[in-house]
Amino acid sequence: MADSARRFEGRAAIVTGASSGIGRAVALKLGAEGGSVAVSARRGDRLAEVAREIRGSGGEALAVAGDVTDPGFREGLVGAAVERFGGLHHLVNSAGVIAFGTIENTSLGAWQRMFALNVEAVFDLMRLAVPHLLKTKGSIVNVSSVNGMRSFPGVLAYNSSKSALDQLTRCSALEVAARGVRVNSVNPGVTRTELHRAGGLGADRYAAFLEHSKTTHPIGRVGRPEEPADLALYLLSDAAAFITGVTIPVDGGRHLTCAR
């Protein structure tokens, strides 16, 4: 790869949810562009494979397997990345979960589990990372969802968690902007990852959901993980030096439509 394409040479990043989907795509792209990447997810075997791919493309990688809903793990992850790479320039919060339910059948426990991963873990990782990012004038990208911008039925807790995440992005961006740290979100539409299957959709229902989603996204298809990942890398890069506090849909126009 040409040097002109290695935007992240000499920069260190943490990427959560890096064993699959958008997080994996972000981590691989950062590594291919010269970045040093601490990748995090629960599945250690798959995480190790991502780390190997990063090293194979010329990047440096550190695999840290664990659960980001554990406060001790979060602290250890940031500490390990800073120790290994000598600092921190970027944080990408891509770990997340979806669950299906309405105001009538979403339990308090389900609501709390949703917020523990989609909001609380993100907040705490940002809190832990910011002192290091202030030293490097770094940047954060949170992986949110079009569901944070629009209301859709049947995923009450997920919608609410992503809306909270978007507000967290905006508020924290205001607080650190004057000191050179930027915070932004990417908001994918339906993207072909493991999210919905892990949230409880069986194979047949998931296939039907993907087919139906062609009609709810004006571009006429669902997204690929590489598409929000490309936007995330742009927002992390110096090309976006005057952009902070934004929540940008990467959704084939889904945010423009009404529920159907």
Side-chain angles (χ1 to χ4, degrees), residues 83-127:
E83 181 178 2
R84 172 69 173 271
F85 302 134
L88 186 66
H89 300 80
H90 306 295
L91 170 65
V92 179
N93 288 299
S94 186
V97 66
I98 195 171
F100 302 93
T102 69
I103 190 63
E104 296 176 285
N105 60 26
T106 298
S107 69
L108 179 59
W111 173 274
Q112 291 171 331
R113 286 190 294 273
M114 183 70 60
F115 272 73
L117 180 54
N118 289 2
V119 184
E120 183 178 304
V122 175
F123 158 75
D124 198 31
L125 283 167
M126 291 170 63
R127 182 186 67 83

Side-chain angles (χ1 to χ4, degrees), residues 56 83 145 234:
E83 181 178 2
S145 171
Y234 170 74

Side-chain angles (χ1 to χ4, degrees), residues 149-202:
M149 308 172 116
R150 295 290 183 269
S151 300
F152 300 102
V155 279
L156 174 81
Y158 181 73
N159 292 347
S160 300
S161 71
K162 292 301 185 179
S163 181
L165 177 57
D166 286 349
Q167 187 73 324
L168 173 61
T169 294
R170 289 186 287 263
C171 291
S172 56
L174 278 175
E175 292 171 352
V176 296
R179 289 176 286 166
V181 175
R182 298 180 301 104
V183 187
N184 296 293
S185 286
V186 298
N187 294 62
V190 175
T191 306
R192 193 182 290 270
T193 68
E194 298 179 7
L195 178 71
H196 293 89
R197 291 297 307 277
L201 284 188

